[in-house]
C-alpha cells in the first residue's frame, strides 16, 4: 500500500545554536533555509543526499532498483534517499516546496498541472506507459452497466478514465467519484460504495484477489489517444546546478529498466521490494510485466523528427493533458508548444545514447 510521505528532516551534523548566537545570525540562517527550499535545490544538501519522491506498490520502479543495488547506485554522485508519495499531485507540490528535487513515475496530468501553475519542473526521462485498469464486480457486464466509478483525483488515471468514458459515449451517464488516494478508492470498492474503480496495477492485483474483473486496461485506452505516461521529473533549477546527478540518474534508471526485463531480472527486482512495500515474489511478478518504454522508443517521446522537444510525443501528450485539465478547472489555459517544450529536456537522454553513461 502507498504510504504518506515522510516529514522533512534537518540536515545531519548541524551544530546546536549557542546561547551567545546573535539574533541577526539566526535570522540570516533562516532566510537561507527558506531560499533553498523555494528554489528546490536543497534536496541534495551539503551531505550529498539525493532525495527522490516515489510511489510504492507492486511494481519496482527503476529508482527503487537503482537505490537497492550498490553497483548501480555507486554510479550516481550522491546518496539516494527515496521518499514515498501518495500521488503525483502531492509529489509535485512537495518538489515545489523543496522536500526533494526529483519525482519518479509522475504522470502527465500532475506534471502538466504543475508547470502550467508556475512550478519550474522538467521532464528528463519517460519511464513507461502506466499499467492500470478498470476493476468491476460481477454485476458489471459491459461499459453501459457502469453508474459510479472511483479514481485518483487529478491523476493520469483520471485523464485516462475520462477519455475512455468519452470514447464510449458515457460522459454524462457515469458518475466519477474522486479520491485522494488509491488505497481509499480500493476500500470504497470493497465496501460496495462504488461499482467500479480505475486503479493502478499494484492495486489491481490485490482487487483481483477479491474477485474483481478488469473491464478495460490502460494499454487499450492508450490506443484511443489517451496515454498515461510516467516520467522522471526534476526541479529545473536543480537540474541546471547538478547536471551530473541528473545525467547519472537517467543513465542508471534506463539501465535498471533493461535489467528487470532481462535474464537476471529476479536478482535486480527482489532487493527493490523493500522500497515498494511488497514481497519479492509479488514485486517480481508485477515488474516483469510492467510496460516500460523500450530504449529504442525513448527518443521519440522526448523529441520529434526535427530534433526539438516541441514536436515529440511527450509534448503532444502534454497538450492533450492540458486540454483535459482546463475542462476540469485545474488549469486556466492550454500552453503553446513553445512553452510546453521548455519543460522537456532531451539532452540527458541524447548524451546517454552517445556514450555519456558510466
Amino acid at each position: 500500500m502507498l504510504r504518506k510521505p515522510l516529514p522533512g528532516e534537518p540536515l545531519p551534523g548541524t551544530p546546536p545554536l549557542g546561547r551567545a548566537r546573535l539574533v541577526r545570525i539566526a535570522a540570516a540562517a533562516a532566510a537561507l533555509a527558506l531560499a533553498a527550499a523555494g528554489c528546490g535545490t536543497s534536496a541534495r544538501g551539503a551531505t550529498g543526499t539525493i532525495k527522490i519522491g516515489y510511489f510504492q506498490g507492486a511494481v519496482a520502479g527503476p529508482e527503487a532498483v537503482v537505490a537497492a543495488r550498490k553497483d548501480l547506485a555507486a554510479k550516481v554522485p550522491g546518496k539516494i534517499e527515496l521518499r514515498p508519495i501518495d500521488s503525483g499531485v502531492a509529489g509535485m507540490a512537495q518538489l515545489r516546496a523543496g522536500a526533494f528535487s526529483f519525482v519518479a513515475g509522475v504522470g502527465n496530468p500532475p506534471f502538466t498541472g504543475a508547470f502550467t501553475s508556475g512550478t519550474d519542473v522538467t521532464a528528463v526521462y519517460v519511464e513507461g506507459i502506466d499499467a492500470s485498469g478498470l476493476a468491476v464486480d460481477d454485476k458489471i457486464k459491459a461499459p453501459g452497466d457502469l453508474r459510479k466509478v472511483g479514481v485518483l483525483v487529478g491523476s493520469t488515471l483520471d485523464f485516462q478514465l475520462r477519455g475512455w468514458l468519452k470514447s464510449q459515449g458515457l460522459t454524462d451517464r457515469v458518475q466519477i467519484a474522486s479520491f485522494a488516494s488509491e488505497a481509499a478508492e480500493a476500500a470504497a470498492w470493497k465496501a460496495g460504495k462504488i461499482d467500479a474503480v480505475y486503479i493502478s496495477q499494484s492495486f489491481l492485483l490485490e482487487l483481483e484477489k477479491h474477485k474483481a474483473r478488469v473491464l478495460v486496461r490502460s494499454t487499450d485506452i492508450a490506443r484511443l489517444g489517451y496515454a498515461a505516461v510516467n516520467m522522471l521529473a526534476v526541479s529545473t533549477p536543480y537540474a541546471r546546478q547538478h547536471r551530473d546527478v541528473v545525467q547519472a540518474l537517467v543513465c542508471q534508471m534506463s539501465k535498471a529498466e533493461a535489467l528487470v526485463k532481462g535474464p537476471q531480472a529476479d536478482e535486480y527486482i527482489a532487493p527493490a521490494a523493500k522500497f515498494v512495500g511488497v514481497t519479492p515474489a509479488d514485486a517480481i511478478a508485477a515488474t516483469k510485466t510492467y510496460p516500460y518504454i523500450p530504449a529504442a522508443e525513448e527518443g521519440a517521446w522526448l523529441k520529434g523528427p526535427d530534433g526539438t522537444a516541441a514536436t515529440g510525443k511527450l509534448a503532444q501528450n502534454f497538450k492533450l493533458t492540458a486540454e483535459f485539465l482546463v475542462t476540469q478547472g485545474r488549469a486556466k489555459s492550454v500552453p503553446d508548444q513553445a512553452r510546453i517544450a521548455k519543460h522537456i529536456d532531451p539532452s540527458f537522454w541524447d548524451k546517454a545514447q552517445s556514450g555519456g553513461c558510466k
Side-chain angles (χ1 to χ4, degrees), residues 263-348:
Q264 296 177 300
D266 293 10
E267 296 179 22
Y268 287 90
I269 300 171
K274 64 183 178 182
F275 289 115
V276 295
V278 299
T279 65
D282 284 346
I284 290 169
T287 307
K288 282 185 174 180
T289 59
Y290 191 81
Y292 285 124
I293 299 292
E297 299 176 13
E298 179 73 24
W301 281 95
L302 294 168
K303 61 183 182 179
D306 63 354
T308 69
T311 58
K313 292 170 63 177
L314 196 56
Q316 296 172 29
N317 178 276
F318 289 167
K319 184 176 184 297
L320 286 175
T321 305
E323 292 173 355
F324 155 74
L325 293 174
V326 169
T327 63
Q328 298 303 307
R330 297 176 187 142
K332 294 181 179 180
S333 62
V334 178
D336 60 30
Q337 291 302 103
R339 184 183 171 194
I340 289 173
K342 289 181 180 180
H343 297 279
I344 303 170
D345 190 345
S347 67
F348 297 100

Side-chain angles (χ1 to χ4, degrees), residues 25-321:
I25 297 177
L32 285 173
L34 288 172
C39 70
T41 61
S42 63
R44 190 181 184 199
T47 60
T49 300
I50 302 166
K51 296 178 183 178
I52 304 174
Y54 82 113
F55 292 91
Q56 293 182 311
V59 176
E63 70 287 340
V65 175
V66 173
R69 291 280 305 204
K70 290 183 179 180
D71 56 333
L72 299 177
K75 294 181 180 180
V76 180
K79 180 182 178 182
I80 297 174
E81 183 178 309
L82 301 182
R83 293 292 186 97
I85 57 176
D86 282 336
S87 70
V89 174
M92 288 288 94
Q94 289 172 271
L95 179 145
R96 182 171 185 169
F100 33 70
S101 290
F102 295 90
V103 177
V106 66
N108 38 297
F111 182 88
T112 305
F115 79 73
T116 56
S117 62
T119 301
D120 196 0
V121 64
T122 300
V124 294
Y125 180 66
V126 182
E127 298 177 25
I129 300 297
D130 191 43
S132 52
L134 185 64
V136 300
D137 57 30
D138 56 9
K139 294 182 291 185
I140 305 299
K141 306 298 183 183
D145 298 331
L146 294 168
R147 293 295 177 268
K148 189 174 184 178
V149 182
V151 72
L152 184 64
V153 62
S155 67
T156 307
L157 305 179
D158 197 348
F159 167 68
Q160 280 208 300
L161 173 63
R162 293 175 191 272
W164 180 73
L165 289 174
K166 181 179 180 181
S167 74
Q168 301 297 307
L170 297 173
T171 300
D172 298 326
R173 294 174 54 188
V174 176
Q175 179 184 353
I176 295 179
S178 298
F179 289 85
S181 74
E182 292 195 287
E185 59 184 291
W189 182 84
K190 291 177 185 177
K193 296 180 179 179
I194 51 179
D195 56 23
V197 59
Y198 192 71
I199 204 163
S200 62
Q201 178 70 9
S202 57
F203 284 92
L204 276 181
L205 295 174
E206 177 194 351
L207 294 181
E208 286 178 322
K209 295 176 183 178
H210 290 79
K211 299 182 180 180
R213 179 172 60 88
V214 180
L215 187 64
V216 63
R217 294 189 179 274
S218 58
T219 48
D220 303 317
I221 298 175
R223 284 192 283 270
L224 299 174
Y226 302 95
V229 184
N230 293 326
M231 299 159 285
L232 175 64
V234 59
S235 163
T236 305
Y238 182 93
R240 291 183 185 133
Q241 186 176 354
H242 302 290
R243 289 190 64 86
D244 59 333
V245 176
V246 181
Q247 186 65 62
L249 279 175
V250 169
C251 286
Q252 298 311 309
M253 288 175 66
S254 173
K255 184 176 181 180
E257 290 190 2
L259 290 168
V260 300
K261 299 295 184 180
Q264 296 177 300
D266 293 10
E267 296 179 22
Y268 287 90
I269 300 171
K274 64 183 178 182
F275 289 115
V276 295
V278 299
T279 65
D282 284 346
I284 290 169
T287 307
K288 282 185 174 180
T289 59
Y290 191 81
Y292 285 124
I293 299 292
E297 299 176 13
E298 179 73 24
W301 281 95
L302 294 168
K303 61 183 182 179
D306 63 354
T308 69
T311 58
K313 292 170 63 177
L314 196 56
Q316 296 172 29
N317 178 276
F318 289 167
K319 184 176 184 297
L320 286 175
T321 305

Side-chain angles (χ1 to χ4, degrees), residues 3-34:
R3 295 203 305 255
K4 291 184 179 180
L6 298 173
E9 300 173 355
L11 290 173
T14 302
L17 185 64
R19 287 178 295 176
R21 292 279 189 183
L22 297 176
V23 173
R24 61 184 176 81
I25 297 177
L32 285 173
L34 288 172

